[in-house]
Amino acid sequence: MTLSTGLQNYLSDLKLETPEELSLNFVTELQNKHIAKYSFNSLSVALGEEMSLDINDLSEKIVTRGLGGYCFEHNKLTFELLHALGYDVELKLARVLYISENEDQRKKAPRTHRVTLLHHQNSTYLVDTGFGCYGPNAPLLLNTNKPQRIGAEMYRILSLSDEMQIQTTEYDVQIWKNGGSLPYIVSI
């Protein structure tokens, strides 16, 4: 398998090698190393720079220049590598809400966040390398109402489809901090 120069640079910069077989362990290592190395920031907006989603431009910005970026940039880079390696992945848009019990606010919030869904061995996982300090640093199993510990953090995924009486499937992904949850909504 031949990866583009940008994707090969990304893999090399994280000190990862092309996996011999597709495994969840590789995705976990990729996600953990990505989050540890590259910053989530909005410097491009502050500097008035163009924000390209071309894979070589993303690699140049995030990997080569070390400038970090937004969720769309981080998750696109991760998605493209996983896709090129042969993983079954989908890009999805999500809503970001911080502790909102207001149903109308949840329904109206724009989808301004991007995540990756990974389908692997008859399970679906949420992979998010672009949420910053509150995002999981390993894939979250898309399994509702079961707490999932990742490192020192506790996450929970709730189904909102029935609660909100909507036709699409929506999930509330929560991280528990200081006795409360900070949700962001993933529309699937």
Side-chain angles (χ1 to χ4, degrees):
M1 155 188 343
T2 305
L3 297 175
S4 69
T5 302
L7 291 178
Q8 187 58 56
N9 289 343
Y10 175 42
L11 195 64
S12 297
D13 194 48
L14 293 178
K15 297 180 177 34
L16 293 171
E17 294 183 13
T18 303
E20 292 182 21
E21 62 181 50
L22 303 182
S23 73
L24 191 58
N25 287 340
F26 174 82
V27 180
T28 300
E29 191 174 8
L30 169 67
Q31 187 171 349
N32 188 41
K33 286 184 173 191
H34 180 108
I35 291 169
K37 182 152 184 129
Y38 307 123
S39 70
F40 174 85
N41 65 55
S42 58
L43 291 175
S44 292
V45 173
L47 296 173
E49 295 178 346
E50 181 179 326
M51 293 178 16
S52 170
L53 291 178
D54 174 79
I55 197 62
N56 288 322
D57 292 344
L58 288 175
S59 180
E60 172 69 22
K61 177 184 176 186
I62 294 173
V63 176
T64 305
R65 295 172 49 207
L67 297 179
Y70 273 123
C71 62
F72 275 71
E73 297 168 304
H74 286 284
N75 282 312
K76 173 79 183 264
L77 189 57
T78 302
F79 168 86
E80 290 296 338
L81 177 61
L82 292 174
H83 184 261
L85 292 173
Y87 284 92
D88 182 4
V89 288
E90 298 178 71
L91 279 176
K92 293 292 184 180
L93 293 176
R95 308 173 203 275
V96 176
L97 297 173
Y98 293 100
I99 308 176
S100 174
E101 299 299 326
N102 183 323
E103 185 177 315
D104 287 335
Q105 183 182 3
R106 285 184 178 203
K107 287 181 182 178
K108 293 177 184 175
R111 291 183 175 104
T112 58
H113 184 61
R114 177 183 263 178
V115 298
T116 299
L117 288 185
L118 167 69
H119 307 286
H120 185 68
Q121 296 182 344
N122 299 317
S123 294
T124 300
Y125 298 87
L126 175 73
V127 177
D128 191 349
T129 56
F131 196 70
C133 65
Y134 292 124
N137 64 356
L140 278 173
L141 179 62
L142 204 57
N143 188 355
T144 58
N145 296 319
K146 289 191 174 184
Q148 298 179 54
R149 180 165 299 283
I150 296 179
E153 308 299 345
M154 185 67 74
Y155 294 87
R156 180 176 69 170
I157 299 175
L158 303 175
S159 175
L160 298 179
S161 299
D162 296 333
E163 174 186 322
M164 294 173 59
Q165 298 177 356
I166 54 178
Q167 292 180 339
T168 61
T169 303
E170 293 211 8
Y171 299 95
D172 183 350
V173 178
Q174 300 176 336
I175 180 174
W176 293 88
K177 290 277 191 188
N178 303 323
S181 65
L182 301 171
Y184 66 105
I185 309 300
V186 180
S187 300
I188 301 168

